[in-house]
Amino acid sequence: MSLLLLSALVSTLSFASPSATQDFPSRCASLASKLHFSSTRNLTTTFISANTTLLFPSADPTCTRPSQLVSIDLCRVALTVATSPRSSLRMETWLPLTWTGRFLSTGNGGLGGCIQYEDIEYAASLGFATAGTNNGHDGMTGESFLNNPDVIEDFAYRALHTGVVLGKKIARVFYGRGYTKSYYLGCSTGGRQGFKSVQDFPGDFDGVVAGAPAFAFNNLTSWSCHFLPLTGPVGAPTFVPVEMWPVIHQDVLAQCDEMDGLEDGILEFPHLCEYDPAGLVCREGQNASCLTPLQADTVRKIYSPLYGTDGSLVYPRLQPGAEATEALSAYFLGQPFGAVDWWKYAIFNNASWDPASLKPSDYDISSRLNLFNIETWNGDLSAFKNRGGKVLHYHGLVDGIISSENSPRYYEHVSKTMGMRSSQLDDFYRYFQVSGMAHCGGGPGASVIGNSKRNSASLDPKENVLIAMVQWVEKGIAPETITGIAYKNGTAALGVGYKKKHCRWPTRNVYGGIGDPKDENAWECVS
Ligand SMILES: *[C@@H]1O[C@H](CO)[C@@H](O)[C@H](O)[C@H]1NC(C)=O
Ligand SMILES: *[C@@H]1O[C@H](CO)[C@@H](O)[C@H](O)[C@H]1NC(C)=O
Ligand SMILES: *[C@@H]1O[C@H](CO)[C@@H](O)[C@H](O)[C@H]1NC(C)=O
Ligand SMILES: *[C@@H]1O[C@H](CO)[C@@H](O)[C@H](O)[C@H]1NC(C)=O
Ligand SMILES: *[C@@H]1O[C@H](CO)[C@@H](O)[C@H](O)[C@H]1NC(C)=O
Ligand SMILES: *[C@@H]1O[C@H](CO)[C@@H](O)[C@H](O)[C@H]1NC(C)=O
């Protein structure tokens, strides 16, 4: 299957003939003179040969992407685009010599501000003409939102859409013909951007792969920033000592690990886990490795949904299990989370706003403001569906940054809004729960699914979400499950340890008790 599909991937090369190959660098150099866009600046077109390491010395250091190895021959197009008199974006379009005819756009992460070169390289190396932007500002902070709604508008939707429109034009001019199919690949903020396209720009993509989406964005920032006021600072009576989290994790596993038929340290369906820390409350005379009643209450609240002033749900709970992944460093250390910049610079326009002061009435303010409809919560996807678009949505079930419990909530919202059951949604929208996967990658389970180059071990469509999407769009073969790979001892160099087929909502993965649990066929997706 993988070889077949790969040959399909490379069967439509535009420039693979020897003369065209020789011609490629000069065609790239002359591309700049053929691109006539208003409101663009600093346009450069540069031939990059395979195995070149690009350096980005002037990139914002918070982007932590000082260089990128380029594995294939390509034409690199870089430019700046004014999106308004007060905002602009920087974008790149990488046009591979070995072009499959496909177009792809990448997304962004957090509140960035950063071109995700590694994703552009991943898709370009697979033969996509690939675009990506800095989402309208530079760096991972939100400072440029301050008193500048135009930058916020870029961040909410405009930068991605603008980059897609221009990227497609650039590819058409360079290759001399339009693309065949258009794709999107993104996770976290990138997952939200993917759904924003599906909801509001249904013509932009034929296939969207959206992971761990930061949709319900206003309420997500309420939730992600409520941990600091909840725990209090280090040493507060409500603060749970850091050394207690591994103890709590073992307690979570003791209560919930066997619910999927196997005690292996991985919860296949944390939604069913109603974790209760009561057993860890200090007994008389015990003063170590236990929780005070106030600390136990903090733990209970962390694993409970967040409600607003009128009692309505603001955001679902963190799923138990996340205490062993990013949640510890992101939310449990008594420090402000990065998204506090949204409150400071977008909601309150006050750089001295105190993150510890966040309160439920603030959730209402943010939710009502819903700047540029950044909520990204429209449940009517019919325009996208009607033009044949497909969405592959995935979420890691030990995501410690964006709770995986919010993903099925959106799925059910779409189901209700469109009046479609799962069997009907399956035609164009499938949601996969990746057990043992942390935020967009990593984690203790079979979490290598091809959603990024770093998180890719296979081009088999069963084992790679991007290739699965290509096969769904172009051959009509929809993914039933997504097979994740776990490396031996968690180390890529040691090779494949085991594989697991991750189930699509609303089914969940259960071990039947027969056969080697490391055999992917020993598990079953059950209703
Ligand atoms: C164009 O590039 C120059 C030199 O790198 C830089 O100073 C300038 O700010 C850039 N202009 C835009 C609009 O990005
Ligand atoms: C790139 O480097 C790799 C490993 O060093 C090598 O196998 C490959 O042939 C190189 N490719 C080109 C096009 O130079
Ligand atoms: C904890 O209890 C032990 C005896 O049970 C005692 O020696 C120790 O000082 C106590 N530590 C604290 C921090 O209270
Ligand atoms: C966001 O929270 C408000 C309460 O502050 C609630 O009314 C609204 O339904 C929530 N939105 C979503 C998408 O969950
Ligand atoms: C900004 O926030 C600080 C700290 O909460 C507060 O003291 C100050 O009044 C706020 N400024 C404005 C203009 O609201
Ligand atoms: C397995 O991983 C552990 C912890 O990461 C490490 O200490 C150990 O050396 C690894 N074993 C092998 C065989 O690589």
Side-chain angles (χ1 to χ4, degrees):
M1 189 55 102
S2 62
L3 281 178
L4 270 179
L5 201 95
L6 256 185
S7 63
L9 273 169
V10 293
S11 63
T12 49
L13 313 182
S14 312
F15 286 107
S17 69
S19 64
T21 304
Q22 282 155 16
D23 209 23
F24 188 84
S26 57
R27 295 188 66 152
C28 179
S30 64
L31 175 62
S33 65
K34 297 181 191 144
L35 296 172
H36 307 289
F37 303 127
S38 57
S39 65
T40 65
R41 305 259 296 273
N42 285 5
L43 188 142
T44 57
T45 61
T46 317
F47 170 68
I48 310 292
S49 60
N51 285 355
T52 299
T53 297
L54 295 177
L55 300 176
F56 314 115
S58 54
D60 189 298
T62 60
C63 286
T64 60
R65 287 169 175 86
S67 66
Q68 176 64 49
L69 176 66
V70 178
S71 63
I72 53 153
D73 287 342
L74 57 81
C75 179
R76 177 189 179 197
V77 182
L79 63 154
T80 298
V81 187
T83 51
S84 91
R86 296 198 300 173
S87 190
S88 64
L89 59 83
R90 289 188 303 106
M91 67 174 284
E92 303 251 350
T93 308
W94 291 11
L95 305 162
L97 168 66
T98 303
W99 187 44
T100 57
R102 301 182 181 112
F103 175 82
L104 184 141
S105 177
T106 59
N108 303 87
L111 295 184
C114 301
I115 294 173
Q116 299 199 166
Y117 291 102
E118 69 282 15
D119 292 337
I120 298 178
E121 202 281 334
Y122 178 45
S125 74
L126 294 171
F128 296 83
T130 308
T133 85
N134 72 341
N135 220 8
H137 66 281
D138 280 322
M140 289 304 289
T141 78
E143 281 165 53
S144 40
F145 298 142
L146 185 65
N147 295 315
N148 194 340
D150 295 12
V151 176
I152 298 173
E153 186 166 6
D154 281 340
F155 180 76
Y157 73 90
R158 189 170 51 193
L160 176 68
H161 176 65
T162 305
V164 169
V165 171
L166 278 176
K168 287 177 176 178
K169 283 184 182 158
I170 290 166
R172 171 185 280 276
V173 170
F174 184 61
Y175 293 115
R177 62 181 169 88
Y179 64 88
T180 53
K181 295 289 176 188
S182 168
Y183 296 89
Y184 176 81
L185 180 68
C187 194
S188 195
T189 279
R192 182 189 68 75
Q193 292 170 298
F195 274 101
K196 177 56 85 179
S197 291
V198 170
Q199 293 167 14
D200 292 357
F201 300 96
D204 277 0
F205 303 111
D206 300 293
V208 167
V209 179
F215 49 20
F217 182 86
N218 303 297
N219 291 8
L220 168 63
T221 56
S222 295
W223 176 80
S224 64
C225 294
H226 97 290
F227 290 100
L228 174 59
L230 172 61
T231 65
V234 180
T238 44
F239 183 82
V240 178
V242 172
E243 62 273 17
M244 277 307 292
W245 286 106
V247 179
I248 294 165
H249 180 58
Q250 289 311 313
D251 199 37
V252 166
L253 294 181
Q255 290 183 31
C256 296
D257 193 6
E258 65 181 5
M259 297 173 102
D260 54 29
L262 185 73
E263 287 187 60
D264 59 352
I266 291 167
L267 309 184
E268 294 295 332
F269 203 70
H271 302 281
L272 290 180
C273 178
E274 295 297 337
Y275 173 63
D276 182 357
L280 295 180
V281 174
C282 303
R283 290 178 299 278
E284 216 177 308
Q286 186 188 8
N287 65 5
S289 234
C290 62
L291 299 169
T292 66
L294 269 182
Q295 292 166 350
D297 201 39
T298 298
V299 175
R300 277 191 200 96
K301 285 178 178 151
I302 284 173
Y303 295 115
S304 303
L306 182 64
Y307 295 102
T309 49
D310 63 355
S312 64
L313 178 71
V314 171
Y315 200 79
R317 65 172 189 169
L318 181 67
Q319 77 283 325
E323 64 284 341
T325 63
E326 303 98 345
L328 178 55
S329 57
Y331 296 143
F332 302 164
L333 296 183
Q335 302 285 332
F337 182 64
V340 298
D341 275 12
W342 182 255
W343 293 98
K344 282 187 189 174
Y345 303 114
I347 302 293
F348 292 130
N349 276 308
N350 180 353
S352 10
W353 177 77
D354 174 11
S357 73
L358 182 72
K359 52 191 181 303
S361 57
D362 297 332
Y363 312 163
D364 297 337
I365 293 172
S366 164
S367 171
R368 277 195 215 108
L369 264 181
N370 187 20
L371 297 164
F372 302 100
N373 194 18
I374 196 166
E375 192 78 320
T376 315
W377 199 252
N378 183 357
D380 179 4
L381 308 183
S382 48
F384 183 74
K385 171 188 173 290
N386 291 342
R387 54 173 303 286
K390 313 288 182 204
V391 199
L392 192 164
H393 170 185
Y394 68 89
H395 208 137
L397 296 183
V398 283
D399 190 319
I401 305 285
I402 297 181
S403 175
S404 67
E405 306 230 338
N406 194 48
S407 273
R409 192 168 77 98
Y410 179 73
Y411 181 97
E412 296 301 340
H413 174 56
V414 172
S415 171
K416 203 172 155 198
T417 307
M418 298 184 73
M420 295 174 78
R421 295 186 303 276
S422 293
S423 57
Q424 298 169 306
L425 287 177
D426 270 354
D427 284 345
F428 79 101
Y429 174 23
R430 294 181 177 219
Y431 164 50
F432 296 90
Q433 309 169 82
V434 184
S435 66
M437 182 194 216
H439 188 56
C440 299
S447 63
V448 175
I449 60 169
N451 58 321
S452 64
K453 192 162 202 166
R454 186 172 40 86
N455 206 36
S456 172
S458 166
L459 293 177
D460 183 326
K462 288 191 168 60
E463 300 174 352
N464 183 307
V465 285
L466 177 56
I467 308 297
M469 179 50 85
V470 169
Q471 183 171 256
W472 192 3
V473 165
E474 297 180 18
K475 296 186 178 167
I477 303 171
E480 296 298 321
T481 52
I482 295 295
T483 299
I485 291 169
Y487 296 121
K488 279 185 192 138
N489 203 27
T491 309
L494 298 178
V496 176
Y498 68 96
K499 298 179 181 182
K500 185 173 278 175
K501 292 186 207 168
H502 299 294
C503 301
R504 77 177 185 276
W505 187 265
T507 68
R508 64 190 179 94
N509 223 354
V510 170
Y511 172 61
I514 299 162
D516 182 355
K518 297 261 153 98
D519 175 357
E520 56 186 302
N521 295 315
W523 294 78
E524 198 188 347
C525 296
V526 302
S527 298

